[in-house]
Every structure is written in structure tokens, then in C-alpha cells.
């Protein structure tokens, strides 16, 4: 199938028509793009896929909601955790949020440019801090408002660093999986 006259690239920009056949318009690593005359550095920002946006939205909501939900599920605080069940419940929530953060980084690493991780880090830290303040407001403690204010000031930096580290760890695993998949595809003989 030949393209419309005057068009050299496919609709998705991944292929280039040389007059006889379709050729890849992007290098294997996605850093170079053929414009019809020469290979040029591909610095174009690509939008994240719909799957990454949905995953990221669910992740941000989970970061914002896990602490307030935990505050509603746990009984009124008595100063210390009364049973091992409460400790296990808190640990489960924390592990799920940590794994969800790594999984979000993995999805970004698989599907899109890693530049988006910086924005995801800020969004994630903001969502986490909103959840923290909400959980302090829901708390029955007499000085919860003070804890919310002081905690939001003192915890924002460490939370941002932690979320950034987890996202980049997941993205590194995603890029590694992409590289392994590409290597396997290149080794597979065509039938």
C-alpha cells in the first residue's frame, strides 16, 4: 500500500516511505529519527500511552488514599499499637504502596520516555502529602492539625526523594525488560 502523494511518514511516525517500501523511521533505541533526508536526534516529547496514564492515575489515587483509609479502618489510637494485627495491616498497606510505585515506574520505563518520571515524582509526592494531611485531619488526636502542618513541611523532601528513587528503580527494570525483549526479537529467525 502506497502513501498519499507528498507524505513520507506513516500516521504514527514510526515508518518512512522511500518510494518502494516502508522503512523504520526510528532507530532501535528511539534516539534518532529519519526525516526523509538525514538521521536527526529525536528530542521530541512523546505523550505517555493511555495505559501509562491510567496506571499513573490509579497509583496517584492510591498514594493519596492509603493513609486516610488506614485511619478509618484502624480503631481509635491509644498511643501504641494494641495488637500485632494492626502492625500487619499497616505493613501490608505500606508494602502495597511501595510495590505500586515501583510498578508505575516499570510501566513508564516500558512504554515511554523516562522524562515523565520527574513529573510523576512530583505528582506522587503531592498525592502522598495530601493523603498525610487528610489522615491527620481525620485523626482523633488533639494536636492533629499541628502534626499535619509540621509533618507536611518536614516530610515533603524525604517523600519526594523516596518516591523518585522507587519510580526510577521500576523504570530501570522496565528499560531492562525492553532491552531484553528487543534482543530476543533480533535473535528470532524469520520463518
Amino acid at each position: 500500500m502506497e502513501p498519499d502523494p507528498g507524505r513520507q511518514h506513516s500516521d504514527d511516525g514510526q515508518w518512512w516511505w522511500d518510494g518502494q517500501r516502508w522503512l523504520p523511521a526510528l532507530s532501535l533505541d528511539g534516539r534518532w529519527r529519519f526525516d526523509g533526508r538525514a538521521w536527526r536526534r529525536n528530542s521530541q516529547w512523546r505523550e505517555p500511552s493511555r495505559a501509562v496514564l491510567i496506571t499513573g492515575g490509579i497509583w496517584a489515587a492510591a498514594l493519596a488514599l492509603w493513609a486516610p483509609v488506614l485511619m478509618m479502618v484502624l480503631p481509635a489510637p491509644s498511643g501504641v499499637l494494641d495488637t500485632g494485627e494492626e502492625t500487619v495491616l499497616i505493613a501490608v498497606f505500606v508494602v502495597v504502596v511501595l510495590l505500586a510505585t515501583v510498578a508505575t515506574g516499570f510501566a513508564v520505563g516500558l512504554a515511554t520516555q523516562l522524562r515523565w518520571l520527574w513529573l510523576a515524582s512530583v505528582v506522587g509526592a503531592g498525592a502522598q502529602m495530601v493523603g498525610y494531611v487528610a489522615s491527620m485531619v481525620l485523626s482523633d488526636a488533639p494536636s492533629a492539625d499541628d502534626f499535619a502542618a509540621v509533618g507536611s513541611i518536614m516530610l515533603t523532601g524525604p517523600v519526594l526523594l523516596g518516591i523518585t528513587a522507587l519510580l526510577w528503580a521500576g523504570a530501570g527494570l522496565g528499560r531492562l525488560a525492553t532491552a531484553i525483549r528487543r534482543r530476543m526479537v533480533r535473535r528470532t529467525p524469520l520463518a
Side-chain angles (χ1 to χ4, degrees):
M1 175 167 83
E2 294 187 25
D4 296 335
R7 287 194 59 209
Q8 290 182 313
H9 286 86
S10 62
D11 290 336
D12 63 1
Q14 303 291 322
W15 299 93
W16 176 76
W17 181 257
D18 73 348
Q20 297 176 356
R21 63 186 178 275
W22 288 103
L23 298 172
L26 288 175
S27 64
L28 289 176
D29 62 3
R31 294 183 182 185
W32 298 91
R33 174 177 293 284
F34 190 70
D35 66 2
R37 296 178 194 196
W39 287 95
R40 306 221 185 264
R41 187 122 175 99
N42 185 17
S43 61
Q44 171 186 350
W45 278 68
R46 294 184 306 271
E47 291 183 17
S49 67
R50 180 172 288 154
V52 169
L53 290 175
I54 291 170
T55 303
I58 293 169
W59 165 73
L63 281 178
L65 293 175
W66 78 273
V69 167
L70 194 59
M71 290 298 291
M72 290 187 285
V73 170
L74 290 177
S78 62
V80 295
L81 295 178
D82 296 329
T83 64
E85 293 174 2
E86 293 172 357
T87 306
V88 169
L89 183 63
I90 292 170
V92 166
F93 268 80
V94 169
V95 168
V96 167
V97 168
L98 293 176
L99 290 176
T101 303
V102 172
T104 300
F106 184 81
V108 172
L110 277 178
T112 189
Q113 293 175 335
L114 298 181
R115 298 173 184 173
W116 290 105
L117 286 179
W118 299 113
L119 178 62
S121 297
V122 172
V123 168
Q128 178 63 50
M129 295 317 298
V130 165
Y132 170 76
V133 170
S135 66
M136 288 294 109
V137 170
L138 291 173
S139 173
D140 293 336
S143 58
D145 292 340
D146 295 336
F147 289 143
V150 172
S152 63
I153 292 169
M154 293 180 63
L155 295 176
T156 301
V159 165
L160 178 63
L161 290 174
I163 287 175
T164 301
L166 290 169
L167 285 172
W168 278 98
L173 293 172
R175 297 307 290 172
L176 180 63
T178 299
I180 290 170
R181 184 183 66 202
R182 285 182 180 160
R183 178 172 279 173
M184 304 258 315
V185 166
R186 276 188 247 138
R187 287 186 180 174
T188 305
L190 298 175

